[in-house]
Amino acid sequence: MYKTNHQYYIYIITNKKEGVLYIGVINNLERRIFEHKNKLVKGFSSKYNLDKLIYFEEYQFIEEAIKREKNMKKWKRAWKTNLVIKENPNWEDLAKNWYN
């Protein structure tokens, strides 16, 4: 039997520094960020123009990623902001050079 290694991600996107935050979980981060940037999926992220990837974490197992996402969604905004600032103090778009 062949076991494949999967990658899952939790991510945070925003519209501007200290703006609206969205937390999601996905198995293909590049595709999902492309969808956010191009408003291909209608919903919260397109409504608030959330297209800047400011934070992400990688997981091998989907259960871990979902557990982390659900936990983070319960956090106070200050905790989320502090997490971003710790890893990305200038709130740079981590995906700004992913696409042409």
Side-chain angles (χ1 to χ4, degrees):
M1 167 118 349
Y2 180 75
K3 181 181 185 300
T4 58
N5 283 335
H6 297 283
Q7 292 179 320
Y8 302 93
Y9 303 88
I10 61 101
Y11 64 96
I12 302 176
I13 57 175
T14 190
N15 52 359
K16 62 183 178 182
K17 186 174 183 177
E18 299 185 26
V20 176
L21 299 176
Y22 173 86
I23 300 172
V25 64
I26 196 73
N27 68 336
N28 185 328
L29 186 61
E30 287 186 38
R31 185 202 69 211
R32 186 63 176 126
I33 298 305
F34 181 86
E35 292 170 352
H36 285 301
K37 288 185 174 294
N38 292 283
K39 313 295 183 267
L40 299 178
V41 178
K42 299 299 178 203
F44 186 86
S45 64
S46 61
K47 178 179 179 181
Y48 292 97
N49 196 32
L50 307 179
D51 63 357
K52 293 170 183 53
L53 175 65
I54 56 171
Y55 181 84
F56 68 93
E57 297 174 2
E58 183 178 334
Y59 293 87
Q60 182 177 358
F61 301 106
I62 187 63
E63 298 84 7
E64 293 175 357
I66 291 170
K67 182 178 178 181
R68 175 73 165 161
E69 178 204 27
K70 287 182 178 182
N71 187 311
M72 288 176 68
K73 285 184 173 185
K74 295 176 185 174
W75 286 9
K76 295 177 181 180
R77 179 176 172 89
W79 297 354
K80 298 172 199 174
T81 300
N82 287 338
L83 179 66
V84 171
I85 290 171
K86 180 180 174 189
E87 299 295 325
N88 186 359
N90 295 320
W91 294 56
E92 296 289 328
D93 181 0
L94 302 174
K96 66 183 172 197
N97 295 321
W98 287 8
Y99 318 100
N100 293 329

